[in-house]
Amino acid sequence: MPSTLPEGDPAPRDGSLPDAALAELPDHRFGIYLHVPFCRTRCGYCDFNTYTAAELGPGASRTDYVDSALAELDLAARVLGDRVPKVDTVFVGGGTPTLLPPTELGRLLGGVDERFGLADDAEVTTESNPDSVSAADLARLREAGFTRISFGMQSAAEHVLRVLDREHTPGRAQQAVAEARAAGFDQVSLDLIFGTPGETLDDWRASLQAVLDAEVDHVSAYALIVEEGTRLASRIRRRELPAPDDDDLADKYLLAEELLSAQGFSAYEVSNWARTPQARCRHNLAYWRGDNWWGVGPGAHSHIGGVRFWNVKHPTAYAGRLVAGESPAYAREALDAETRRMERVLLELRLADGLPLAVLTDSERSRVTDPVRRGLAELRDDRLVLTLTGRLLADGVVRDLLD
C-alpha cells in the first residue's frame, strides 16, 4: 500500500540528527508522544493512523507493540545524548491506548523514565475511549504514574454517536470520569465534536451540560472535519447525510464558549478550555509553542530543534525496521528560520496569550490594524490576541497577516 505520509528528505537509517538541532535541546522543554495505533472498530469520521485487528494483517502484533516502542526509545536516547532535559510531558495517544493492558502502558511509561528521566512535576496523559477502560484499569494506570486522562466522549446524544460510529453509550463518559476521580486522577478531560450531521443545537447544549455535570478540569471541543477517504465522507458524497454547515458550526462554538465560560472555564487555545491554568494540557501547549518532542510509534511525528521527522505508518514496517537495528523514520525536513517564524504566527495566534508583535515583519505589523479594526483581534502588551469573533475566523486572520 503506498504511503500517504509527506515525502520530505530521506531520513538517515541510524536516526541521527544535525548538530545544530541537538544544540537547541537544553533551551526547550522536552516531551514524548507515544502512538498506540490500535482500535476495536474504526469510527466513520476518523483518518488517524489506526488499525483494527482485521486491518493489521499478518506480522503485526498488538502483543509485541510495546517492545517495538521501547526499541525506538532506545534509539531516541542514543540520538539525543546527554543534552536532552528530563521529560516534561508524556502523551499516549492513538488509536485507543487503553486497549493495551495497564501493565503494558505502565511499561511504556517506565521505559521513558529509565531512558530520559521524568521531571518531578511531569504531566503524563493517556487518551481513552470510555468503553475501553474499567474502574480497576484506571486505578492501575494511576498507580503506574499516569497523572491525566482524556476521554473521547464526542457527544451525549445517542443518534450523534451512531453517525460517528462510536460504540460507547450516552452516560458512559461521565461514569468513566467519576471512576477516574475515584482512582486518584487530579486532571480529567473530555473531548467533544460538534457539527455532526443530524446534531441539533439542543443536542449540542445537552452534550455541553453533560460535560459540566461531570465536573472535569478540561474540555476540548472540535468542529467536525470531513476527511477524504473516511466512511463519513462517502456517506455525505452519496447524500445519505448532509455536510456540516459553517453557520451551524459557528453557533455551536459560541454556545460552547457561553456555557463553559459561565462555569469558570477559560479558552486557552481556540478549541480547548481549562478551569485553571494548572489544568491546561502542557503537552499540547508544547506543540503550539514549538518545543521539542519525540514521537514514538507507527506514523508518529517528531520535532527536534527545527527538524521535523515522521515514522513509517504500518506497525509491521515499523517493527521490522527496529528489529533490523534501523530508525523507523520515513522522512524528515529541516525547517529554515522563516518557516519556523511563520509557524509561530500560525500556532501562537491560536493561544489566549496571543502572538508577540516582535515575531511579525514590518510589513506584517502594518496589517495588524485591519483585524483590530474589524473586531477580530486586539492589542495587549505588545501582543496580538484574537477576540471571540476572531477565534471563529482564526485561519483567515493568519492568512491576512502573512499574505
Side-chain angles (χ1 to χ4, degrees):
M1 182 173 62
S3 172
T4 56
L5 289 167
E7 287 303 318
D9 299 316
R13 291 197 172 191
D14 62 359
S16 59
L17 291 167
D19 289 340
L22 296 175
E24 293 191 26
L25 283 170
D27 301 327
H28 296 270
R29 292 182 175 180
F30 178 61
I32 295 283
Y33 173 73
L34 299 160
H35 184 67
V36 179
F38 310 118
C39 283
R40 187 174 291 126
T41 61
R42 178 169 295 281
C43 297
Y45 63 93
C46 180
D47 74 336
F48 293 167
N49 187 44
T50 62
Y51 302 85
T52 65
E55 293 170 333
L56 278 175
S61 169
R62 188 184 300 175
T63 305
D64 297 335
Y65 169 73
V66 172
D67 289 331
S68 296
L70 292 174
E72 187 179 358
L73 286 170
D74 285 333
L75 171 74
R78 291 195 302 272
V79 169
L80 299 178
D82 58 7
R83 285 181 287 185
V84 63
K86 287 188 175 181
V87 175
D88 185 64
T89 62
V90 178
F91 195 103
V92 188
T96 309
T98 44
L99 286 181
L100 295 181
T103 52
E104 291 294 272
L105 292 175
R107 195 155 69 94
L108 270 178
L109 181 57
V112 173
D113 194 17
E114 289 167 10
R115 290 156 179 80
F116 299 102
L118 292 171
D120 291 340
D121 64 342
E123 174 193 272
V124 183
T125 304
T126 185
E127 293 181 329
S128 177
N129 283 346
D131 59 340
S132 69
V133 69
S134 67
D137 292 333
L138 289 164
R140 286 192 285 269
L141 287 169
R142 186 67 189 92
E143 290 169 4
F146 286 85
T147 66
R148 185 176 180 276
I149 191 160
S150 180
F151 293 110
M153 174 179 167
Q154 317 312 0
S155 175
E158 186 172 11
H159 70 96
V160 174
L161 293 173
R162 283 200 304 271
V163 172
L164 295 173
D165 295 312
R166 300 291 290 179
E167 288 195 317
H168 68 269
T169 56
R172 172 54 199 157
Q174 298 93 302
Q175 182 184 5
V177 170
E179 292 169 353
R181 292 291 193 208
F185 280 91
D186 293 327
Q187 294 191 39
V188 183
S189 177
L190 285 173
D191 293 352
L192 296 172
I193 291 175
F194 59 91
T196 300
E199 179 190 61
T200 66
L201 195 62
D202 284 341
D203 290 331
W204 177 235
R205 186 187 302 274
S207 294
L208 291 165
Q209 190 58 56
V211 167
L212 292 170
D213 291 344
E215 298 184 348
V216 293
D217 315 282
H218 185 281
V219 179
S220 297
Y222 295 100
L224 178 69
I225 297 175
V226 180
E227 302 286 1
E228 284 302 317
T230 62
R231 185 159 56 248
L232 180 61
S234 297
R235 295 186 69 188
I236 290 173
R237 188 167 54 251
R238 294 195 298 266
R239 299 187 180 180
E240 296 175 15
L241 296 169
D245 176 79
D246 287 344
D247 290 337
D248 177 66
L249 293 174
D251 288 344
K252 287 172 179 172
Y253 183 86
L254 293 173
L255 181 60
E257 171 64 19
E258 176 188 341
L259 296 184
L260 291 171
S261 62
Q263 294 300 314
F265 285 86
S266 295
Y268 67 98
E269 190 271 342
V270 168
S271 300
N272 289 270
W273 289 257
R275 282 193 187 275
T276 66
Q278 294 73 29
R280 297 174 179 178
C281 180
R282 282 160 43 194
H283 188 84
N284 285 340
L285 280 168
Y287 293 156
W288 296 317
R289 290 174 174 161
D291 285 333
N292 295 318
W293 71 91
W294 191 292
V296 173
H301 287 233
S302 304
H303 173 263
I304 302 293
V307 177
R308 194 155 43 211
F309 51 101
W310 46 94
N311 288 345
V312 292
K313 292 183 67 174
H314 198 278
T316 302
Y318 171 76
R321 289 204 180 190
L322 289 161
V323 167
E326 297 180 1
S327 166
Y330 173 75
R332 74 183 192 186
E333 61 178 334
L335 308 177
D336 59 31
E338 176 61 9
T339 301
R340 295 177 78 177
R341 187 193 69 81
M342 293 176 68
E343 289 196 353
R344 284 194 66 184
V345 177
L346 175 68
L347 296 173
E348 291 185 35
L349 193 58
R350 296 179 63 87
L351 299 176
D353 295 339
L355 175 74
L357 291 177
V359 176
L360 299 174
T361 65
D362 290 343
S363 61
E364 289 164 357
R365 279 195 289 273
S366 72
R367 300 184 195 119
V368 164
T369 54
D370 182 61
V372 171
R373 178 185 58 78
R374 294 163 59 199
L376 304 178
E378 56 190 29
L379 296 174
R380 297 184 201 161
D381 301 324
D382 292 324
R383 302 177 81 90
L384 186 66
V385 180
L386 293 177
T387 63
L388 176 57
T389 303
R391 280 150 53 186
L392 290 170
L393 301 169
D395 292 344
V397 174
V398 170
R399 281 196 303 272
D400 290 344
L401 284 176
L402 296 178
D403 188 12

